[in-house]
Amino acid sequence: MVQVHSPTPLYHRIYAVLRERIVKGYYPDDRAIPSEAELSESFSVSRITIRKAMEMLTAERLVTRTRGRGTFVTKRTKEDEFNKAVVSNVNSLFSYLNDVGKSTRLKVISLDHGEAPPRVCAEMGIAPTTELVRAVRVRLLERRPYSLSTAYILPEFGGMLKRQDLAKTNMIDLVQQAGATVEQVEQTMTATLADDYAAKHLEIPVGAPLMLVKRLFFNAELKPFYAAEIFYCADRYEYRVSLKREDGKDFSLGRT
């Protein structure tokens, strides 16, 4: 093992390596991953250390351990369908969100009114003291947490939200039902790590890798009215974009 003097426990470092291998498809679904004895020899650690790492992977449902057969990477079905989505405009984004909504279940964590973090206020172009509607939800896929989202909405579009509606309807549908017109959406994606709050609701270890997707929705006057921050488990979410050459838009490198 590298970084012998790292403050991170050895079993957690091995867990991180194995987790990365699973996420990247290093281990085929139809074959058992190496045994505890084989991994122990490979990493030059005790079987107890390997067992602790495997327990963490099992707790995340990344692997399934079967007595007499071995340990296999947990198969993913609906998740892979979501990962194939290519989003290129507002309509395709709404179509994607609709597909996700049909195959998942929502759990409402909180719904309240209050000030948003300074970063959100800056993005929305509002004063830091502006009161917004805040809604936090966990989306479940096949009974497991798939994402943790926080919505910040101007009161004129979110003031009438109810917990029972949040538990069964996509937020974008709710704000449009409230009279909002979505003219434009800006989206950014950032790699990050789970803090204690995200870890609790996504049922993952603190420090686990996450994908943070931020969306800013603009109305017909191109003014932001709704900001969303969604944390996805990095091993369950993939975003794809298809890039095509436009006719008559060839680019030539300059000569020096």
Side-chain angles (χ1 to χ4, degrees), residues 89-90 93-94 172 181-187 215-226:
N89 54 45
V90 171
L93 173 62
F94 287 2
I172 193 59
T181 299
V182 181
E183 183 66 26
Q184 180 176 315
V185 182
E186 291 184 356
Q187 177 170 277
R215 298 188 180 113
L216 190 61
F217 294 80
F218 296 79
N219 62 16
E221 289 75 39
L222 295 183
K223 294 183 178 180
F225 70 91
Y226 162 33

PDB file of all heavy atoms in Angstrom, residues 89-90 93-94 172 181-187 215-226:
ATOM      1  N   ASN A  89     -30.986  20.342 -24.560  1.00  0.00           N
ATOM      2  CA  ASN A  89     -31.795  21.546 -24.507  1.00  0.00           C
ATOM      3  C   ASN A  89     -32.833  21.414 -23.403  1.00  0.00           C
ATOM      4  O   ASN A  89     -32.905  20.384 -22.724  1.00  0.00           O
ATOM      5  CB  ASN A  89     -32.460  21.814 -25.865  1.00  0.00           C
ATOM      6  CG  ASN A  89     -33.249  20.612 -26.369  1.00  0.00           C
ATOM      7  OD1 ASN A  89     -33.988  19.996 -25.615  1.00  0.00           O
ATOM      8  ND2 ASN A  89     -33.079  20.278 -27.637  1.00  0.00           N
ATOM      9  N   VAL A  90     -33.657  22.452 -23.238  1.00  0.00           N
ATOM     10  CA  VAL A  90     -34.627  22.456 -22.146  1.00  0.00           C
ATOM     11  C   VAL A  90     -35.626  21.314 -22.288  1.00  0.00           C
ATOM     12  O   VAL A  90     -35.948  20.626 -21.322  1.00  0.00           O
ATOM     13  CB  VAL A  90     -35.352  23.818 -22.087  1.00  0.00           C
ATOM     14  CG1 VAL A  90     -36.516  23.753 -21.107  1.00  0.00           C
ATOM     15  CG2 VAL A  90     -34.388  24.917 -21.669  1.00  0.00           C
ATOM     16  N   LEU A  93     -34.089  18.071 -21.344  1.00  0.00           N
ATOM     17  CA  LEU A  93     -33.894  18.037 -19.890  1.00  0.00           C
ATOM     18  C   LEU A  93     -35.203  17.667 -19.198  1.00  0.00           C
ATOM     19  O   LEU A  93     -35.223  16.804 -18.313  1.00  0.00           O
ATOM     20  CB  LEU A  93     -33.402  19.391 -19.386  1.00  0.00           C
ATOM     21  CG  LEU A  93     -33.326  19.540 -17.854  1.00  0.00           C
ATOM     22  CD1 LEU A  93     -32.334  18.553 -17.258  1.00  0.00           C
ATOM     23  CD2 LEU A  93     -32.957  20.970 -17.475  1.00  0.00           C
ATOM     24  N   PHE A  94     -36.301  18.300 -19.607  1.00  0.00           N
ATOM     25  CA  PHE A  94     -37.596  17.995 -19.004  1.00  0.00           C
ATOM     26  C   PHE A  94     -37.991  16.551 -19.263  1.00  0.00           C
ATOM     27  O   PHE A  94     -38.563  15.888 -18.395  1.00  0.00           O
ATOM     28  CB  PHE A  94     -38.668  18.932 -19.561  1.00  0.00           C
ATOM     29  CG  PHE A  94     -38.575  20.345 -19.044  1.00  0.00           C
ATOM     30  CD1 PHE A  94     -37.560  20.716 -18.173  1.00  0.00           C
ATOM     31  CD2 PHE A  94     -39.496  21.305 -19.427  1.00  0.00           C
ATOM     32  CE1 PHE A  94     -37.455  22.005 -17.700  1.00  0.00           C
ATOM     33  CE2 PHE A  94     -39.412  22.603 -18.951  1.00  0.00           C
ATOM     34  CZ  PHE A  94     -38.389  22.957 -18.092  1.00  0.00           C
ATOM     35  N   ILE A 172     -39.929  20.717 -11.129  1.00  0.00           N
ATOM     36  CA  ILE A 172     -40.117  21.543 -12.319  1.00  0.00           C
ATOM     37  C   ILE A 172     -41.581  21.565 -12.732  1.00  0.00           C
ATOM     38  O   ILE A 172     -42.084  22.577 -13.245  1.00  0.00           O
ATOM     39  CB  ILE A 172     -39.211  21.038 -13.475  1.00  0.00           C
ATOM     40  CG1 ILE A 172     -39.173  22.077 -14.590  1.00  0.00           C
ATOM     41  CG2 ILE A 172     -39.645  19.676 -13.977  1.00  0.00           C
ATOM     42  CD1 ILE A 172     -38.665  23.432 -14.169  1.00  0.00           C
ATOM     43  N   THR A 181     -42.718  30.149 -16.217  1.00  0.00           N
ATOM     44  CA  THR A 181     -42.339  29.748 -17.572  1.00  0.00           C
ATOM     45  C   THR A 181     -40.832  29.590 -17.621  1.00  0.00           C
ATOM     46  O   THR A 181     -40.095  30.520 -17.301  1.00  0.00           O
ATOM     47  CB  THR A 181     -42.771  30.805 -18.608  1.00  0.00           C
ATOM     48  OG1 THR A 181     -44.189  30.943 -18.581  1.00  0.00           O
ATOM     49  CG2 THR A 181     -42.331  30.394 -20.007  1.00  0.00           C
ATOM     50  N   VAL A 182     -40.379  28.414 -17.987  1.00  0.00           N
ATOM     51  CA  VAL A 182     -38.944  28.153 -18.047  1.00  0.00           C
ATOM     52  C   VAL A 182     -38.445  28.457 -19.454  1.00  0.00           C
ATOM     53  O   VAL A 182     -38.753  27.740 -20.407  1.00  0.00           O
ATOM     54  CB  VAL A 182     -38.621  26.694 -17.673  1.00  0.00           C
ATOM     55  CG1 VAL A 182     -37.110  26.470 -17.722  1.00  0.00           C
ATOM     56  CG2 VAL A 182     -39.172  26.360 -16.301  1.00  0.00           C
ATOM     57  N   GLU A 183     -37.668  29.513 -19.565  1.00  0.00           N
ATOM     58  CA  GLU A 183     -37.139  29.922 -20.858  1.00  0.00           C
ATOM     59  C   GLU A 183     -35.722  29.409 -21.070  1.00  0.00           C
ATOM     60  O   GLU A 183     -35.308  29.119 -22.188  1.00  0.00           O
ATOM     61  CB  GLU A 183     -37.160  31.445 -20.975  1.00  0.00           C
ATOM     62  CG  GLU A 183     -36.695  31.992 -22.317  1.00  0.00           C
ATOM     63  CD  GLU A 183     -37.629  31.622 -23.456  1.00  0.00           C
ATOM     64  OE1 GLU A 183     -38.832  31.385 -23.190  1.00  0.00           O
ATOM     65  OE2 GLU A 183     -37.164  31.545 -24.615  1.00  0.00           O
ATOM     66  N   GLN A 184     -34.978  29.295 -19.973  1.00  0.00           N
ATOM     67  CA  GLN A 184     -33.568  28.917 -20.093  1.00  0.00           C
ATOM     68  C   GLN A 184     -33.127  28.226 -18.811  1.00  0.00           C
ATOM     69  O   GLN A 184     -33.636  28.514 -17.724  1.00  0.00           O
ATOM     70  CB  GLN A 184     -32.730  30.173 -20.328  1.00  0.00           C
ATOM     71  CG  GLN A 184     -31.230  29.942 -20.466  1.00  0.00           C
ATOM     72  CD  GLN A 184     -30.496  31.233 -20.785  1.00  0.00           C
ATOM     73  OE1 GLN A 184     -30.923  32.015 -21.636  1.00  0.00           O
ATOM     74  NE2 GLN A 184     -29.402  31.467 -20.088  1.00  0.00           N
ATOM     75  N   VAL A 185     -32.178  27.304 -18.951  1.00  0.00           N
ATOM     76  CA  VAL A 185     -31.612  26.605 -17.795  1.00  0.00           C
ATOM     77  C   VAL A 185     -30.099  26.583 -17.933  1.00  0.00           C
ATOM     78  O   VAL A 185     -29.576  26.206 -18.989  1.00  0.00           O
ATOM     79  CB  VAL A 185     -32.130  25.156 -17.678  1.00  0.00           C
ATOM     80  CG1 VAL A 185     -31.546  24.482 -16.433  1.00  0.00           C
ATOM     81  CG2 VAL A 185     -33.652  25.116 -17.645  1.00  0.00           C
ATOM     82  N   GLU A 186     -29.411  26.986 -16.890  1.00  0.00           N
ATOM     83  CA  GLU A 186     -27.954  26.879 -16.846  1.00  0.00           C
ATOM     84  C   GLU A 186     -27.595  25.746 -15.895  1.00  0.00           C
ATOM     85  O   GLU A 186     -28.138  25.645 -14.798  1.00  0.00           O
ATOM     86  CB  GLU A 186     -27.319  28.184 -16.370  1.00  0.00           C
ATOM     87  CG  GLU A 186     -27.440  29.322 -17.370  1.00  0.00           C
ATOM     88  CD  GLU A 186     -26.715  30.571 -16.902  1.00  0.00           C
ATOM     89  OE1 GLU A 186     -26.179  30.554 -15.759  1.00  0.00           O
ATOM     90  OE2 GLU A 186     -26.691  31.553 -17.652  1.00  0.00           O
ATOM     91  N   GLN A 187     -26.677  24.892 -16.306  1.00  0.00           N
ATOM     92  CA  GLN A 187     -26.310  23.730 -15.502  1.00  0.00           C
ATOM     93  C   GLN A 187     -24.799  23.604 -15.391  1.00  0.00           C
ATOM     94  O   GLN A 187     -24.082  23.774 -16.375  1.00  0.00           O
ATOM     95  CB  GLN A 187     -26.883  22.463 -16.138  1.00  0.00           C
ATOM     96  CG  GLN A 187     -26.512  21.172 -15.422  1.00  0.00           C
ATOM     97  CD  GLN A 187     -27.285  19.980 -15.946  1.00  0.00           C
ATOM     98  OE1 GLN A 187     -28.408  19.721 -15.551  1.00  0.00           O
ATOM     99  NE2 GLN A 187     -26.680  19.236 -16.862  1.00  0.00           N
ATOM    100  N   ARG A 215     -28.453  23.574 -11.087  1.00  0.00           N
ATOM    101  CA  ARG A 215     -29.273  24.094 -12.180  1.00  0.00           C
ATOM    102  C   ARG A 215     -29.907  25.412 -11.769  1.00  0.00           C
ATOM    103  O   ARG A 215     -30.430  25.534 -10.656  1.00  0.00           O
ATOM    104  CB  ARG A 215     -30.367  23.091 -12.573  1.00  0.00           C
ATOM    105  CG  ARG A 215     -29.835  21.766 -13.094  1.00  0.00           C
ATOM    106  CD  ARG A 215     -30.954  20.902 -13.658  1.00  0.00           C
ATOM    107  NE  ARG A 215     -30.422  19.625 -14.146  1.00  0.00           N
ATOM    108  CZ  ARG A 215     -30.700  18.451 -13.585  1.00  0.00           C
ATOM    109  NH1 ARG A 215     -31.530  18.374 -12.560  1.00  0.00           N
ATOM    110  NH2 ARG A 215     -30.164  17.337 -14.065  1.00  0.00           N
ATOM    111  N   LEU A 216     -29.865  26.364 -12.672  1.00  0.00           N
ATOM    112  CA  LEU A 216     -30.457  27.676 -12.449  1.00  0.00           C
ATOM    113  C   LEU A 216     -31.510  27.897 -13.535  1.00  0.00           C
ATOM    114  O   LEU A 216     -31.193  27.881 -14.725  1.00  0.00           O
ATOM    115  CB  LEU A 216     -29.384  28.763 -12.503  1.00  0.00           C
ATOM    116  CG  LEU A 216     -29.785  30.167 -12.072  1.00  0.00           C
ATOM    117  CD1 LEU A 216     -30.244  30.169 -10.608  1.00  0.00           C
ATOM    118  CD2 LEU A 216     -28.623  31.136 -12.249  1.00  0.00           C
ATOM    119  N   PHE A 217     -32.761  28.088 -13.116  1.00  0.00           N
ATOM    120  CA  PHE A 217     -33.880  28.205 -14.045  1.00  0.00           C
ATOM    121  C   PHE A 217     -34.274  29.678 -14.211  1.00  0.00           C
ATOM    122  O   PHE A 217     -34.450  30.404 -13.236  1.00  0.00           O
ATOM    123  CB  PHE A 217     -35.079  27.405 -13.534  1.00  0.00           C
ATOM    124  CG  PHE A 217     -34.845  25.921 -13.495  1.00  0.00           C
ATOM    125  CD1 PHE A 217     -34.131  25.341 -12.443  1.00  0.00           C
ATOM    126  CD2 PHE A 217     -35.345  25.082 -14.490  1.00  0.00           C
ATOM    127  CE1 PHE A 217     -33.918  23.969 -12.399  1.00  0.00           C
ATOM    128  CE2 PHE A 217     -35.133  23.714 -14.452  1.00  0.00           C
ATOM    129  CZ  PHE A 217     -34.418  23.161 -13.406  1.00  0.00           C
ATOM    130  N   PHE A 218     -34.434  30.089 -15.471  1.00  0.00           N
ATOM    131  CA  PHE A 218     -34.776  31.469 -15.804  1.00  0.00           C
ATOM    132  C   PHE A 218     -36.195  31.531 -16.372  1.00  0.00           C
ATOM    133  O   PHE A 218     -36.606  30.646 -17.138  1.00  0.00           O
ATOM    134  CB  PHE A 218     -33.802  32.032 -16.848  1.00  0.00           C
ATOM    135  CG  PHE A 218     -32.380  32.139 -16.362  1.00  0.00           C
ATOM    136  CD1 PHE A 218     -31.564  31.011 -16.319  1.00  0.00           C
ATOM    137  CD2 PHE A 218     -31.854  33.361 -15.969  1.00  0.00           C
ATOM    138  CE1 PHE A 218     -30.249  31.104 -15.883  1.00  0.00           C
ATOM    139  CE2 PHE A 218     -30.536  33.457 -15.538  1.00  0.00           C
ATOM    140  CZ  PHE A 218     -29.741  32.332 -15.491  1.00  0.00           C
ATOM    141  N   ASN A 219     -36.921  32.601 -16.036  1.00  0.00           N
ATOM    142  CA  ASN A 219     -38.273  32.773 -16.557  1.00  0.00           C
ATOM    143  C   ASN A 219     -38.259  33.456 -17.927  1.00  0.00           C
ATOM    144  O   ASN A 219     -37.195  33.627 -18.528  1.00  0.00           O
ATOM    145  CB  ASN A 219     -39.138  33.552 -15.555  1.00  0.00           C
ATOM    146  CG  ASN A 219     -38.594  34.954 -15.310  1.00  0.00           C
ATOM    147  OD1 ASN A 219     -37.765  35.472 -16.060  1.00  0.00           O
ATOM    148  ND2 ASN A 219     -39.073  35.584 -14.243  1.00  0.00           N
ATOM    149  N   ALA A 220     -39.435  33.840 -18.412  1.00  0.00           N
ATOM    150  CA  ALA A 220     -39.538  34.433 -19.744  1.00  0.00           C
ATOM    151  C   ALA A 220     -38.775  35.740 -19.858  1.00  0.00           C
ATOM    152  O   ALA A 220     -38.356  36.133 -20.953  1.00  0.00           O
ATOM    153  CB  ALA A 220     -41.013  34.655 -20.092  1.00  0.00           C
ATOM    154  N   GLU A 221     -38.573  36.436 -18.732  1.00  0.00           N
ATOM    155  CA  GLU A 221     -37.800  37.679 -18.722  1.00  0.00           C
ATOM    156  C   GLU A 221     -36.316  37.424 -18.493  1.00  0.00           C
ATOM    157  O   GLU A 221     -35.538  38.347 -18.282  1.00  0.00           O
ATOM    158  CB  GLU A 221     -38.328  38.630 -17.631  1.00  0.00           C
ATOM    159  CG  GLU A 221     -39.690  39.232 -17.925  1.00  0.00           C
ATOM    160  CD  GLU A 221     -40.811  38.225 -17.726  1.00  0.00           C
ATOM    161  OE1 GLU A 221     -40.722  37.421 -16.757  1.00  0.00           O
ATOM    162  OE2 GLU A 221     -41.749  38.211 -18.555  1.00  0.00           O
ATOM    163  N   LEU A 222     -35.938  36.133 -18.527  1.00  0.00           N
ATOM    164  CA  LEU A 222     -34.553  35.702 -18.309  1.00  0.00           C
ATOM    165  C   LEU A 222     -34.031  36.129 -16.943  1.00  0.00           C
ATOM    166  O   LEU A 222     -32.858  36.478 -16.781  1.00  0.00           O
ATOM    167  CB  LEU A 222     -33.637  36.221 -19.421  1.00  0.00           C
ATOM    168  CG  LEU A 222     -33.923  35.654 -20.820  1.00  0.00           C
ATOM    169  CD1 LEU A 222     -32.903  36.185 -21.831  1.00  0.00           C
ATOM    170  CD2 LEU A 222     -33.905  34.128 -20.812  1.00  0.00           C
ATOM    171  N   LYS A 223     -34.917  36.048 -15.944  1.00  0.00           N
ATOM    172  CA  LYS A 223     -34.530  36.307 -14.563  1.00  0.00           C
ATOM    173  C   LYS A 223     -34.593  34.994 -13.786  1.00  0.00           C
ATOM    174  O   LYS A 223     -35.579  34.256 -13.891  1.00  0.00           O
ATOM    175  CB  LYS A 223     -35.464  37.336 -13.928  1.00  0.00           C
ATOM    176  CG  LYS A 223     -35.358  38.724 -14.545  1.00  0.00           C
ATOM    177  CD  LYS A 223     -36.263  39.716 -13.824  1.00  0.00           C
ATOM    178  CE  LYS A 223     -36.125  41.113 -14.416  1.00  0.00           C
ATOM    179  NZ  LYS A 223     -37.012  42.087 -13.724  1.00  0.00           N
ATOM    180  N   PRO A 224     -33.561  34.685 -13.000  1.00  0.00           N
ATOM    181  CA  PRO A 224     -33.578  33.432 -12.239  1.00  0.00           C
ATOM    182  C   PRO A 224     -34.698  33.434 -11.194  1.00  0.00           C
ATOM    183  O   PRO A 224     -34.913  34.427 -10.508  1.00  0.00           O
ATOM    184  CB  PRO A 224     -32.204  33.417 -11.556  1.00  0.00           C
ATOM    185  CG  PRO A 224     -31.367  34.375 -12.340  1.00  0.00           C
ATOM    186  CD  PRO A 224     -32.312  35.439 -12.813  1.00  0.00           C
ATOM    187  N   PHE A 225     -35.414  32.318 -11.108  1.00  0.00           N
ATOM    188  CA  PHE A 225     -36.477  32.207 -10.109  1.00  0.00           C
ATOM    189  C   PHE A 225     -36.376  30.911  -9.295  1.00  0.00           C
ATOM    190  O   PHE A 225     -37.063  30.760  -8.290  1.00  0.00           O
ATOM    191  CB  PHE A 225     -37.854  32.270 -10.788  1.00  0.00           C
ATOM    192  CG  PHE A 225     -38.192  31.064 -11.624  1.00  0.00           C
ATOM    193  CD1 PHE A 225     -38.871  29.982 -11.075  1.00  0.00           C
ATOM    194  CD2 PHE A 225     -37.828  31.006 -12.967  1.00  0.00           C
ATOM    195  CE1 PHE A 225     -39.185  28.874 -11.847  1.00  0.00           C
ATOM    196  CE2 PHE A 225     -38.133  29.900 -13.745  1.00  0.00           C
ATOM    197  CZ  PHE A 225     -38.814  28.832 -13.183  1.00  0.00           C
ATOM    198  N   TYR A 226     -35.487  30.015  -9.698  1.00  0.00           N
ATOM    199  CA  TYR A 226     -35.396  28.710  -9.033  1.00  0.00           C
ATOM    200  C   TYR A 226     -33.988  28.165  -9.212  1.00  0.00           C
ATOM    201  O   TYR A 226     -33.473  28.096 -10.324  1.00  0.00           O
ATOM    202  CB  TYR A 226     -36.456  27.780  -9.632  1.00  0.00           C
ATOM    203  CG  TYR A 226     -36.291  26.298  -9.427  1.00  0.00           C
ATOM    204  CD1 TYR A 226     -35.716  25.753  -8.276  1.00  0.00           C
ATOM    205  CD2 TYR A 226     -36.749  25.408 -10.396  1.00  0.00           C
ATOM    206  CE1 TYR A 226     -35.591  24.389  -8.115  1.00  0.00           C
ATOM    207  CE2 TYR A 226     -36.628  24.035 -10.247  1.00  0.00           C
ATOM    208  CZ  TYR A 226     -36.043  23.534  -9.107  1.00  0.00           C
ATOM    209  OH  TYR A 226     -35.922  22.171  -8.944  1.00  0.00           O
TER     210      TYR A 226
END
